[in-house]
Amino acid sequence: MRKRIVAGNWKMNLKRKEALVLVSEVLSQISKHENTEVVFAPSFLYLFKIAKMCSDFESVKVAAQNCSKEKKGAFTGEISSEMIASSNGDYVIIGHSERREYFRETNTDLAEKVNRALANNLKVIFCCGESLTQRKDKIHFNWIKKQLSEGLFYLSVKEFDNIVIAYEPIWAIGTGMTATNEQAQEMHQFIRNCLNEKYGSEVAEDTSILYGGSCNPVNAKELFSQTDIDGGLIGGASLKADDFLSIINSF
Ligand code: PGA
């Protein structure tokens, strides 16, 4: 059965002390055996410390927000999957639209990153999403299929065990504009159908597909009640303990 996951993508926010206080506040209010998997994606700088703070909590995991496509070597400023794994990271977020847009990451780059991450036993939260123009032009389904095919669909069934997909319509990220429940469910169902076509029903049924894009304590409950939405990748609302907790409790 697929997991319910609520992941907080902090992006480039929070100073060290603020980050640690936020994690303590969240941990103080969830059970050690939560049904929902909770993921913190802090800055690389705090990852090791936060992983340690979470180590008693079976269902709390830590993610890096990016990784290098290179294995190791002379790549000043880069952080490898091996480093993330050796700092007790569990996941890495790959293909966020901010990385695709501001850092020009292509589907080919992302595929290399996915391979590196899996080779280091990290799980991957793979993001896909369309722009508003693409949606208006009605090419959004083809666009998402292309992102999945080029970014993920060379993996084996076994490798796919370690993949979580996050659907994040770009027009809904940080804008306060959320996809309607129907729009989100429609796309999640489409993604699950793509998985079914490529890998069969077991992979399709077992892969968690998260919604991201202005998900908040007010809209989370309805979004999470949609058949094919298995949780969320939360940006802004993951920076406040109360909001994040309320989203975690929205199933
Ligand atoms: P948001 O960001 O919740 O602030 O819209 C989501 C994301 O980019 O992961």
Side-chain angles (χ1 to χ4, degrees), residues 174-188:
T175 58
M177 251 167 93
T178 321
T180 62
N181 299 326
E182 294 71 27
Q183 285 171 325
Q185 165 57 24
E186 184 186 37
M187 185 57 88
H188 280 236

Side-chain angles (χ1 to χ4, degrees), residues 80-95:
S80 68
S81 286
E82 188 179 60
M83 292 170 178
I84 296 165
S86 74
S87 301
N88 298 338
D90 303 291
Y91 281 94
V92 56
I93 298 173
I94 294 181

